[in-house]
Amino acid sequence: MTTTTSPVPEHVPESEGPADSAAAVRPARLIHTESTTEIPVHLLFRDDPVPAPAAVKLRPAVVARRPDGGPDGRAAGARARPAGPGVDPALVERPARVLPGIAGVLAGVCGAAGCAATAWWAGVLPPLAVEALGLSDRAGALGSAQWAAFAGAGALGLFGFGGLARGRTGRAWVLGLFGRYRGTVRRTGLLWVNPLLLRRRVDVRLRHWRGEPMPAADHSGVALRVVMLVVWRVRDTARATLGLEDHEGYLRACVEAALLRVPVAAPGAGRGAVQATQDALTRLVAADAGPVGVEVFAVRPLRVEYAPEVAAAMHRRRIAALDAQHRASVLSSVVDSVEDTVTRLTMRGLVNLDDYERKVLVKDLTVAFCAGRGENGA
């Protein structure tokens, strides 16, 4: 849309009076458009205040959750990732399918009886067995039917007796078939387990592990040697057995890593510092070992000592600190005694001392008290 402006006259004749000045009005400047009427320019530049727009109540906006897990397009798993090591989420302990042991015993007895009946049918049963069982002697040979019956009965007996197992308290079996996890057996007593499954025995009892001296450091960075006691057990047998090559070795590595991240209370520290160190170590090791099926109850420092290269220097420093502390306590006690003695003598009016005499008396009493405490300490 194009706009044009009307020309303004270059000269306007002056009026001869006030009435003529009122009548003679300068023509307004206009904007012409092709499809609209003329718009006065002064209407576009008003001095009047423009009223504020009326308030409009806005309804709360509802953002629909996207199918990928979040309104911003990122998956929920990408926002909250587990802090522990990555383990297959499908690898979780589940109970395996087993039968009572009586079923295996019956199957084995039936298979053995079938083999004996097939041998008598084929006439290959030993004469002594025929006489003991009171059967009539049969003469013959093993045919295809006898062989099939003998194979079926033998397979039944092998499966029946070969699948018998004894479950113990505190022990579990991790079963696998051709490399695939098939379940865990935690039941006790006589059981029948498929003999084709591979069994791995796992100890699920509460266990403790006492390690060798490990390197650590205190709050000041001084090298230490710490002997740790770890109380733990296997919570998820599938992850502890199949997710790791050696869960006990992994637990030792977690303890060593935690000792490098947590400052250990120095030898001779208070009970509060030792408890804080134990809690911090337990949290770190439990967080690292939890995703792989190992439950950690406590990580406790049993023995804390300085490293051999700094042991002598730290021993001398410790003795010097104890000696300084003892001297400070003795000096404080002597000063209190001297002050109490001088105050009593002055308050009771026994002596009237000026500043010089007071200083001499304080000096003599201090020397006397220190010498007396030294003789008592010796």
Side-chain angles (χ1 to χ4, degrees), residues 87-99:
V87 182
D88 185 5
L91 187 61
V92 180
E93 179 182 334
R94 60 177 182 272
R97 297 178 180 180
V98 295
L99 297 177

Side-chain angles (χ1 to χ4, degrees), residues 16-85:
E16 297 179 357
D20 296 339
S21 61
V25 180
R26 186 175 181 177
R29 189 179 183 89
L30 305 177
I31 297 178
H32 299 275
T33 62
E34 295 179 353
S35 58
T36 62
T37 59
E38 297 179 352
I39 302 176
V41 177
H42 68 277
L43 295 180
L44 302 178
F45 304 93
R46 291 184 178 180
D47 297 331
D48 300 335
V50 180
V56 180
K57 296 183 178 180
L58 299 179
R59 300 176 60 185
V62 178
V63 181
R65 185 176 295 277
R66 297 186 180 182
D68 53 4
D72 55 353
R74 294 179 299 175
R79 295 197 307 269
R81 295 181 179 178

Side-chain angles (χ1 to χ4, degrees), residues 19 29 35 43 51 75 97 105 107-108 117 145 150 158 187-188 299 323 356:
R29 189 179 183 89
S35 58
L43 295 180
R97 297 178 180 180
V105 174
F150 193 81
L158 290 177
R187 297 171 56 180
T188 58
V299 181
D323 184 64
Y356 177 76

Side-chain angles (χ1 to χ4, degrees), residues 103 137 139 197 212 284 290 312 314 319 325 331 361 367:
D137 191 6
L197 298 177
E212 300 295 331
L284 285 178
M314 295 307 299
I319 293 178
Q325 183 179 2
L331 181 60
L361 179 60
V367 173

Side-chain angles (χ1 to χ4, degrees), residues 213-227 263-270 273 301-322:
M214 299 180 181
D218 62 359
H219 294 273
S220 302
V222 180
L224 301 174
R225 289 292 183 270
V226 185
V227 177
V264 180
L302 288 183
R303 187 175 70 251
V304 181
E305 57 186 13
Y306 290 105
E309 58 271 15
V310 298
M314 295 307 299
H315 182 66
R316 291 193 298 268
R317 179 180 177 182
R318 182 67 176 174
I319 293 178
L322 292 176

Side-chain angles (χ1 to χ4, degrees), residues 83-174:
V87 182
D88 185 5
L91 187 61
V92 180
E93 179 182 334
R94 60 177 182 272
R97 297 178 180 180
V98 295
L99 297 177
I102 188 64
V105 174
L106 292 178
V109 171
C110 292
C115 291
T118 303
W120 173 79
W121 178 28
V124 296
L125 195 65
L128 295 178
V130 172
E131 293 178 0
L133 295 175
L135 302 176
S136 60
D137 191 6
R138 293 173 58 90
L142 289 174
S144 58
Q146 288 83 0
W147 276 112
F150 193 81
L156 180 61
L158 290 177
F159 264 78
F161 289 121
L164 292 178
R166 182 179 61 176
R168 298 181 180 180
T169 303
R171 303 293 178 88
W173 281 313
V174 177

